[in-house]
Amino acid sequence: MSSIQQFQMYIDGKFVPSVTGAQFESLNPATGKPWAALPEAGLEDVNAAVNSARNAFDKGPWSNFTGTERARLLRKLGDIIARDAELLASCESKDNGKLYREMLGQWKYIPEWFYYYAGMADKLQGDTIPSDRNNFFIYTRREPIGVVAAITAWNSPGLLLTFKLAPGLAAGCTFVVKPSEHAPVSTIELAKRFEEAGFPPGVFNVITGAGIPGAALVDHPGVDKVAFTGATQTGKKIAASTAKNLTRVSLELGGKSPNIVFDDADLDVAANGAIAGIFGATGQTCMAGSRLLVHEKVHDALMDRILARTAQIKMGNPLDADTEMGPVANAPQLDKVLEYITVGLQDGAKLAAGGKQDEKLGPMFVMPTIFTGVTNQMRIAQEEVFGPILSVIKFKDEEEAIAIANDTRFGLAAAVWTQNIHRAHRVAHQLRAGTVWINAYRVVSFLTPFGGFKESGLGRENGMDSIREYTETKSVYVELTGKPRDPFTLG
Ligand code: NAD
């Protein structure tokens, strides 16, 4: 009997195969074997999903739900997710090879997003505008933007989707979701929780597959907004595509984030932060601290600590509780990581750790890799690898550190390690990045805006303002006298 589990898409409140019957498989990178089979959506499936979301938005019961009613459903969904966090986490870990304990932490945290934005659903107030004319009463309304196409990456599918779903549903939008073909299962499992919570059909639709469905969704005239997380290169294609219909778009893209260690830092803590920044999640996070900028005076002392800890990193099965680093998530990603190891060597960087696959564990397990002697012009300092490769760059003073940190086309995140409070804030203010941590790395919260400067993205997720990404403001003028006015001048 096959151990491959079958999953279906979720369209208009029903679990369905693709119209053509085509399927694809999701491989578990830790075993190298397929574990799930899913429908490969074609154009007809995309149309069906968008039509369903369109109907639910334009005509369905959802369109008449008050904010209070939407909030009730969001809270219920949060409770169901909290109950089922283990199952959702294990699907993701099997799909993308990330540590089960990290995925579980994410799924246990995800309900907070639904509770937080539930609290906002009935507070989307407009303004009463004081009029400059006595015969007008003017007010604004915050209306949902409409049908949202949410497209996500494979590294944290549930969390990245939640960043979009929770504010979007609170605002009254409906969704067609397209998870990555490398990690689609948790999104399908989430659909079962939507059904249990009692969301009307069409509010949440899921289509799966590579190639066609994402691009067709972005191009679809029935979509009002695209909310995307993925590579910068894909984000640019999507921005160009949405420009055709002026479809609203928000983009969460790649990074090459600087992790800056000054000579007055606590080196033990900073070394731990450097490890968390690049080897957490096998380096497969958008916010990876992939450029370690170190003051020349503490370079050797810091590297001794980092190399000692790196040598102890326990690689293995992501489902085991004591594993610290799992496999690279998929075959294209493995090729990319291995290619950048070659590029680093060709560019003259010094390989201080790793640089190869772990023979015992198998080809998908790339050892934690550190290049020292890197200059910021090298490709391994400028291009996103999205894997466990650290580029270490020396600097001599604060001014140079800031210049190197900002000399990148990305601007997602950065960290500053120092015990000098003046320097900590001074440097944080000068870094061109959407998030800066001081003496910490890789922290996100539903309360705090997250997003990129420069080519790391467009718009912000999380926090109070992100709900604005899912509403349009409408101004309403009410004439109070009922008398006609000069029809040939601006009123
Ligand atoms: P990707 O861009 O290859 O794919 C992302 C999603 O887009 C997938 O669902 C894919 O099927 C779909 N897609 C591909 N081509 C498309 C097209 N032309 N039109 C519409 N959809 C298309 O990215 P990935 O490899 O899945 O993820 C890794 C990237 O995601 C990295 O660059 C990482 O930095 C970025 N990322 C960013 C954040 C963030 O919040 N800024 C978070 C996680 C990952």
Side-chain angles (χ1 to χ4, degrees), residues 213-224:
L217 198 51
V218 169
D219 263 350
H220 203 292
V223 167
D224 298 297

Side-chain angles (χ1 to χ4, degrees), residues 11 26 32 96 129 131-132 180 191 203 207 209 278 312 325 331 342 354 378 382 386 399 420 446-447 465:
I11 299 178
S26 176
N96 67 11
I129 313 281
S131 176
D132 57 344
S180 166
V203 174
I207 54 171
I278 190 64
Q312 290 167 355
M325 245 179 77
T342 309
M378 289 182 187
Q382 288 294 328
F386 213 61
E399 194 185 343
N420 177 334
F446 52 96
L447 299 157
D465 283 352

Side-chain angles (χ1 to χ4, degrees), residues 176-243:
V176 179
V177 180
K178 213 297 284 173
S180 166
E181 57 277 25
H182 298 296
V185 174
S186 62
T187 306
I188 299 281
E189 283 292 341
L190 188 61
K192 297 180 188 164
R193 275 84 203 159
F194 266 82
E195 191 157 83
E196 183 184 339
F199 281 83
V203 174
F204 181 73
N205 300 275
V206 185
I207 54 171
T208 50
I212 291 177
L217 198 51
V218 169
D219 263 350
H220 203 292
V223 167
D224 298 297
K225 175 189 163 85
V226 176
F228 173 76
T229 300
T232 291
Q233 213 183 347
T234 317
K236 287 182 182 176
K237 281 190 207 156
I238 288 176
S241 203
T242 52

Side-chain angles (χ1 to χ4, degrees), residues 150-156 160 163-164 178-182 209-218 226 228-235 237-238 241 251-255 284-287 330 333 336 384 386 410 412 450-452 456-457 461:
I151 301 176
T152 51
W154 46 262
N155 60 327
S156 293
L160 303 173
F163 289 3
K164 302 160 182 42
K178 213 297 284 173
S180 166
E181 57 277 25
H182 298 296
I212 291 177
L217 198 51
V218 169
V226 176
F228 173 76
T229 300
T232 291
Q233 213 183 347
T234 317
K237 281 190 207 156
I238 288 176
S241 203
L251 303 169
E252 291 290 345
L253 309 176
Q284 301 172 124
T285 77
C286 53
M287 61 185 97
N330 51 65
Q333 194 53 35
K336 190 171 169 199
E384 185 187 45
F386 213 61
F410 297 109
L412 192 61
F450 181 75
S456 286
E461 298 191 312

